Amino acid sequence: DMIQNDIANFRASMAQFGCKACGNDFENTTPIVDHCGNVEFRHIVKNYEAEKETDFLQYHREHAQLQLLCESCHVKKSKSW
């Protein structure tokens, strides 16, 4: 996947700060990179296709807002959609 390196780099650089929602550390779990804000991943893809852009990696870098969540908080967020 084109954005996996960016996702891995984000996870590595932000893991020290803990879960964005509950503040727990990631000592016993792998942090989940989550698209947040007003533009979720599905919106990025839809807008990218609608705007007929040619470089998805660059488009994602410009439009994605990311956060790290623990599994529990990610499940709670996903269920709210």
Side-chain angles (χ1 to χ4, degrees), residues 12-74:
S13 69
M14 300 302 289
Q16 64 186 332
F17 300 110
C19 176
K20 184 72 172 179
C22 71
N24 288 339
D25 64 37
F26 299 111
E27 189 172 311
N28 298 316
T29 185
T30 301
I32 298 170
V33 177
D34 178 66
H35 287 79
C36 61
N38 294 329
V39 185
E40 294 289 329
F41 184 72
R42 60 194 161 122
H43 299 128
I44 292 171
V45 171
K46 183 178 178 181
N47 294 342
Y48 168 80
E49 291 171 348
E51 294 176 22
K52 298 184 170 107
E53 294 289 330
T54 58
D55 185 346
F56 183 73
L57 180 59
Q58 185 61 36
Y59 190 85
H60 184 267
R61 286 177 177 163
E62 292 171 4
H63 295 90
Q65 293 179 40
L66 303 175
Q67 65 183 354
L68 285 188
L69 297 177
C70 65
E71 186 175 352
S72 176
C73 289
H74 188 258

